[in-house]
Amino acid sequence: MLLVIIALGTTDLLFALDSIPAIYGLTKEPYLVFTANVFALMGLRQLYFLIGGLLTKLIYLSQGLAILLGFIGVKLILHALHENELPFINGGEHVKVPEIPTLASLGVIIVILTVTAAVSLIVSSKREKAAAQSGSSDEIS
């Protein structure tokens, strides 16, 4: 049991350390980065159990997360081009690309997750009703 607890704690710590560059992409304030990582460490394990229980109902979660990761990747590439200092890209000058504001990013993330959850719950509910109706018609005959 001790080995399992150590493995879970190490995994939580690695995920928190992995998210530091992503948080620094949003803000340069060290206090916010530290606070975000502390809250991530406190809530990550509970989130695993919550999502584990919801996976049977959130059937389109993987597609929604794929879209979300694609959006974040595009945002990071645009930000990197906007802040360009590499001599082999545009001679080290900033590339004139649109930059996605943080509030717009947050809005897109919330919309993607909300639509994914809503569609998943609606479809899984309809499937459960259809399965219950077909099960009750089998009992009658």
Side-chain angles (χ1 to χ4, degrees):
M1 187 64 156
L2 179 64
L3 186 61
V4 170
I5 291 173
I6 291 172
L8 283 174
T10 305
T11 304
D12 285 350
L13 184 63
L14 287 174
F15 276 123
L17 292 175
D18 181 57
S19 66
I20 289 174
I23 297 170
Y24 266 117
L26 294 174
T27 180
K28 303 290 186 222
E29 188 67 38
Y31 178 73
L32 289 176
V33 173
F34 174 75
T35 306
N37 278 303
V38 167
F39 282 117
L41 282 172
M42 290 189 321
L44 198 55
R45 195 170 308 119
Q46 290 80 7
L47 188 63
Y48 288 149
F49 291 115
L50 175 68
I51 291 178
L54 287 175
L55 280 180
T56 57
K57 297 214 180 270
L58 297 177
I59 55 179
Y60 296 119
L61 182 64
S62 59
Q63 289 89 346
L65 291 177
I67 293 168
L68 182 64
L69 288 174
F71 170 74
I72 291 172
V74 168
K75 178 181 172 28
L76 288 174
I77 289 171
L78 290 175
H79 181 72
L81 288 172
H82 185 72
E83 300 285 325
N84 180 39
E85 295 177 0
L86 299 172
F88 57 88
I89 297 177
N90 198 29
E93 297 296 321
H94 301 304
V95 180
K96 293 186 192 300
V97 293
E99 191 164 2
I100 303 171
T102 303
L103 286 177
S105 297
L106 183 61
V108 169
I109 290 169
I110 289 171
V111 166
I112 290 171
L113 291 177
T114 303
V115 168
T116 300
V119 170
S120 294
L121 291 174
I122 290 169
V123 170
S124 65
S125 173
K126 286 183 180 180
R127 286 183 183 175
E128 287 175 3
K129 285 180 184 176
Q133 287 177 354
S134 68
S136 63
S137 65
D138 290 343
E139 292 174 5
I140 295 172
S141 55

